[in-house]
Amino acid sequence: MLAKIRAEGLEHSHAWAMVDTLATVIGPRLTASPAFVRAVHWAHGALASWGYENAHLESWPFGRGWELDRFSAHLTAPRFAPLIAYPDAWSAPTKGEITGTPIVIAGLSYDSLAKMRDRLRGAIVMLQPIETNFVRQDRVNPTAPGVPDVYKPLPPLRLGGRGGRVSDAMRIATLLHDAGVGAVLKTSRGEHGTVFVQTRDAGPERAVPSVVLGAEDYNNIMRMLNDHLPVRVSVNVQAHYITTDTSGYNVIAELPGSDPALRDQVVMIGAHLDSWGAATGATDNADGAATVLEAMRILKAVGARPRRTIRVALWGGEEEGLYGSRAWVAQHLAGPANQSAREHMSVYLNIDPGYGPVYGFFMEGNQAAKAIFDQWLAPFTDLGARRNVIAGISNTDHLSFMPEGVPAFNPVQDYTNYDVRIHHTNVDTMDRMNPDDLKESAIVFASFAYEAAMRDEMIPRSAGTAPAR
């Protein structure tokens, strides 16, 4: 069966076409946007077409969606120049095209801004000082030669709401909104025209027209203002909010287990389907979504009959705070009513940060599971696999499962230029990717899911994870 999985994944792969559909045809998939909903229905349709009769959507409360209709930003004086810039997600629209001399409010306190409230109405403001603290280093790949492999437990994931105290930044945002500011210009922390765009919805009470400029353009405007040149900037953001459907969605499907004694136990694989909007969300996370979908396609194509049930999930709302996976865990695993479901969840395999082949897995301090995964990974070294590491990783959907005691892991992949150039930026496109890497990752996920579903025991729970409760 493992040989069949490998052959199907190498010789008949659909993974590259899936990434192309998500990244190129559908495009950026901001949660609750029309494009995200199209991606949800496409993924559901793909699973149904492969014979997953129980493929379905699960909704959860999210908030309003947002879609960009038109945008322009340029310098009009002392000379004309186009600006490298992107509206923030959930930016309010401007009142048509607005042009003016920017007002620098970087570093000003709430009280100082309150005193200049009348000047802010309709104005273009520069929110931050000149950017000098650029992102210039990628994360270290723990599978690289000579890198220490150390596990540092993460603090418990808080699965509460989105509330909290009102910060000074939030008070200033409310003031700018109430003053009727024309547009807020911010700088990116990227270099060479790399623009990081990843702002959440400020809500009707704080959302203002907000634009992120490439740092070089932002800094140039700031220097011209410091030199008292007659600077004028023109900005036009046209966007609209979607309030007819304020739900987020997950896509779920299962390959039922065949062993009467084990079929109620579950092996789960998943990836988030949503993205930010400045590029096409290719490596974050169209490739991950394609990996788990291709893994499920492979398992169907080879006629796999796992002893345990294999479940797949495509999550929404990951970029805004793991909302899709958190909602699913809260409904299906958390609390006394879900004790049996927790006890029958063998493992969750997630795929998100990074791109390229699966080098191995972050084992989250679980030595017993690592010994098993080491055996499973060994056959794929010829395809690019390296080794599993005992270390952990943060900021992705497997963290939603760990507080419930479920063994949950995410792979180590390539991070070359990922943090400096690609992740959450305007250049997260398919140009960064290699079709053969997608084949490898899908084969690994299909094989690991099958292996976990066939072994006599469930995956061992780490002493470092919370017990089922």
Side-chain angles (χ1 to χ4, degrees):
M1 182 54 65
L2 295 176
K4 289 181 179 180
I5 288 172
R6 185 184 180 108
E8 177 66 24
L10 289 176
E11 298 169 13
H12 306 289
S13 177
H14 294 196
W16 188 252
M18 292 184 201
V19 172
D20 185 60
T21 296
L22 288 170
T24 307
V25 178
I26 296 174
R29 302 165 304 282
L30 192 70
T31 300
S33 70
F36 171 75
V37 174
R38 287 194 294 273
V40 163
H41 288 294
W42 171 81
H44 174 263
L47 288 162
S49 72
W50 300 328
Y52 288 96
E53 297 179 1
N54 63 345
H56 63 281
L57 309 184
E58 296 189 10
S59 64
W60 36 274
F62 177 73
R64 59 185 183 172
W66 182 86
E67 187 171 42
L68 181 64
D69 301 313
R70 187 168 67 257
F71 171 70
S72 64
H74 42 269
L75 181 73
T76 62
R79 53 188 173 271
F80 180 86
L83 299 174
I84 299 175
Y86 293 82
D88 267 327
W90 286 283
S91 167
T94 57
K95 295 179 179 179
E97 185 172 39
I98 60 172
T99 302
T101 298
I103 299 173
V104 178
I105 64 171
L108 295 183
S109 67
Y110 175 88
D111 291 337
S112 297
L113 287 171
K115 294 176 183 177
M116 55 186 293
R117 183 185 181 112
D118 291 342
R119 290 182 58 201
L120 297 176
R121 180 166 299 279
I124 299 172
V125 301
M126 309 289 283
L127 186 64
Q128 296 159 289
I130 286 178
E131 181 63 62
T132 58
N133 186 26
F134 297 105
V135 179
R136 288 174 169 160
Q137 188 172 5
D138 293 305
R139 70 191 74 183
V140 174
N141 196 306
T143 65
V147 176
D149 185 12
V150 180
Y151 175 61
K152 297 179 180 179
L154 295 170
L157 179 67
R158 295 182 60 188
L159 298 181
R162 309 183 198 190
R165 69 179 184 88
V166 178
S167 66
D168 289 342
M170 293 168 68
R171 293 178 67 214
I172 289 173
T174 302
L175 173 61
L176 294 175
H177 172 274
D178 294 346
V181 70
V184 173
L185 304 186
K186 305 190 297 186
T187 180
S188 173
R189 64 189 189 278
E191 288 188 290
H192 312 124
T194 304
V195 182
F196 291 83
V197 184
Q198 54 186 109
T199 301
R200 304 177 189 179
D201 187 5
E205 70 280 1
R206 295 191 186 96
V208 297
S210 179
V211 176
V212 185
L213 272 63
E216 292 84 359
D217 282 346
Y218 187 93
N219 288 353
N220 189 47
I221 293 171
M222 288 288 284
R223 283 190 289 265
M224 288 192 291
L225 290 169
N226 290 340
D227 290 340
H228 306 292
L229 295 177
V231 179
R232 289 181 71 79
V233 172
S234 179
V235 178
N236 187 1
V237 180
Q238 297 305 309
H240 65 276
Y241 297 103
I242 295 100
T243 57
T244 51
D245 184 357
T246 57
S247 294
Y249 293 93
N250 300 324
V251 184
I252 309 292
E254 290 181 349
L255 180 59
S258 60
D259 187 334
L262 298 179
R263 64 188 175 197
D264 290 338
Q265 298 177 10
V266 176
V267 171
M268 193 168 186
I269 63 176
H272 74 87
L273 195 57
D274 62 304
S275 75
W276 291 110
T280 63
T283 71
D284 188 23
N285 190 37
D287 61 342
T291 292
V292 297
L293 285 170
E294 171 69 355
M296 297 301 283
R297 187 201 67 78
I298 290 171
L299 291 170
K300 267 290 185 180
V302 299
R305 296 186 70 249
R307 298 172 68 191
R308 293 178 179 82
T309 293
I310 298 176
R311 179 183 297 146
V312 66
L314 285 305
W315 310 116
E318 188 274 347
E319 298 292 7
E320 293 75 34
L322 316 185
Y323 289 131
S325 60
R326 286 167 56 177
W328 191 89
V329 167
Q331 180 179 351
H332 296 285
L333 294 182
N338 291 315
Q339 179 177 350
S340 177
R342 284 194 304 277
E343 292 174 348
H344 284 79
M345 181 68 73
S346 176
V347 66
Y348 172 65
L349 302 178
N350 189 70
I351 180 166
D352 180 13
Y355 64 104
V358 169
Y359 291 144
F361 281 83
F362 289 99
M363 296 309 303
E364 305 292 342
N366 191 330
Q367 291 282 6
K370 183 178 181 297
I372 298 166
F373 278 39
D374 286 348
Q375 295 177 14
W376 293 350
L377 189 67
F380 303 109
T381 54
D382 63 316
L383 298 181
R386 296 177 179 176
R387 61 188 176 95
N388 300 302
V389 297
I390 202 62
I393 187 172
S394 62
N395 298 328
T396 189
D397 286 301
H398 75 297
L399 297 182
S400 299
F401 290 78
M402 292 174 66
E404 302 305 326
V406 175
F409 311 103
N410 194 88
V412 185
Q413 293 183 271
D414 195 358
Y415 307 124
T416 304
N417 287 324
Y418 189 68
D419 298 302
V420 171
R421 177 71 73 176
I422 303 169
H423 191 214
H424 298 165
T425 76
N426 57 327
V427 292
D428 182 5
T429 65
M430 290 181 69
D431 306 276
R432 318 277 86 84
M433 298 163 60
N434 183 325
D436 288 339
D437 294 340
L438 284 170
K439 292 178 182 180
E440 187 264 8
S441 63
I443 291 168
V444 169
F445 262 71
S447 299
F448 272 51
Y450 183 77
E451 292 268 33
M454 294 300 291
R455 68 191 311 269
D456 291 337
E457 295 85 22
M458 296 200 304
I459 298 300
R461 300 195 175 211
S462 171
T465 58
R469 60 182 188 277

